[in-house]
Amino acid sequence: MQLLTNRSKIVVKKQMNFWEKIYLPAILGGLAITIKHLFRKQTTISYPEQKRAFSATYRGEHVLKRDENGAERCTACGLCAVSCPAEAITMVAAERKPGEEKMYREEKYASVYEINMLRCIFCGYCEEACPKEAIFLTDRKVPSLFERNEFIYGKDKLVEPVEKSKRVDVSKRQTQEVAEFKKHTEYAHNH
């Protein structure tokens, strides 16, 4: 066989001996590897029975928070939608009507707030951009679904319940600096 360097290389077709022809050493070698793996520690978990511990910084499903009085915090400023690199957030702003003071914190609110979870990359930029601390990423996993339209999360899935006992705890998502800042009531929003 002639190579590019004008040096020839002789290729020899080696004849197999009897043991190589019956493949017994190769089979025994494969069995030895398999048996060795049987006694190793398992790296997989049995999911429904065992659940893997998540990191404290895990970002899962979104939630739109309510204030202490049960009113929605979101004022439809649009900063979360602008900061989203995947353009997964859409909203429509509306004016609060007389008698809806307990439902919405300010005059302007999001009448439509949708997150396309198929586009969301769970970066947390919406959480950082929100000046009213209205949107947070929780430690809940997004469920597996079969239809694409089920991944469009509207206000029915995003806004937390009015009852204080059923609200989502997001204190783990806040850094120590934010917790210290919140202790100063003179800097609080809407006071």
Side-chain angles (χ1 to χ4, degrees):
M1 180 167 118
Q2 191 71 17
L3 298 175
L4 293 175
T5 58
N6 291 330
R7 284 186 269 164
S8 62
K9 182 175 183 181
I10 300 172
V11 178
V12 179
K13 184 175 181 182
K14 182 183 163 195
Q15 294 294 322
M16 293 195 307
N17 61 25
F18 173 74
W19 292 107
E20 290 173 336
K21 285 182 182 178
I22 63 171
Y23 296 104
L24 192 60
I27 292 171
L28 292 176
L31 283 174
I33 291 172
T34 303
I35 291 170
K36 187 171 63 174
H37 281 284
L38 285 175
F39 298 107
R40 284 191 181 168
K41 183 178 177 278
Q42 278 190 331
T43 56
T44 58
I45 61 168
S46 302
Y47 169 66
E49 295 83 26
Q50 298 173 330
K51 301 228 190 286
R52 189 179 300 268
F54 288 113
S55 167
T57 58
Y58 174 76
R59 294 184 283 238
E61 267 189 331
H62 299 71
V63 66
L64 284 173
K65 296 291 290 174
R66 294 183 181 272
D67 65 3
E68 307 79 39
N69 302 325
E72 291 181 19
R73 290 182 179 214
C74 181
T75 59
C77 64
L79 289 175
C80 57
V82 171
S83 67
C84 182
E87 297 179 0
I89 301 174
T90 57
M91 68 177 66
V92 175
E95 292 289 326
R96 181 176 70 186
K97 295 174 181 61
E100 293 182 336
E101 288 82 14
K102 291 187 178 182
M103 292 175 61
Y104 309 108
R105 229 160 90 159
E106 300 199 20
E107 290 79 27
K108 195 170 99 174
Y109 70 97
S111 63
V112 176
Y113 193 102
E114 292 181 343
I115 299 178
N116 186 343
M117 299 304 276
L118 294 173
R119 296 185 87 182
C120 179
I121 59 173
F122 300 94
C123 62
Y125 288 168
C126 55
E127 184 178 70
E128 292 175 15
C130 185
K132 303 293 183 181
E133 292 184 331
I135 187 164
F136 281 95
L137 280 80
T138 64
D139 57 353
R140 298 179 296 182
K141 292 192 301 185
V142 176
S144 300
L145 303 168
F146 295 102
E147 299 293 324
R148 292 181 68 84
N149 59 356
E150 293 175 356
F151 285 101
I152 307 295
Y153 281 25
K155 285 180 74 170
D156 56 332
K157 291 184 181 178
L158 292 171
V159 179
E160 68 181 351
V162 178
E163 300 89 32
K164 288 188 179 185
S165 62
K166 294 183 180 179
R167 293 204 183 156
V168 180
D169 180 30
V170 292
S171 58
K172 293 178 272 185
R173 298 284 307 143
Q174 296 174 342
T175 61
Q176 187 65 32
E177 295 84 20
V178 172
E180 289 295 321
F181 178 78
K182 284 184 175 182
K183 289 180 183 176
H184 300 284
T185 56
E186 64 269 15
Y187 302 131
H189 293 296
N190 301 329
H191 288 289

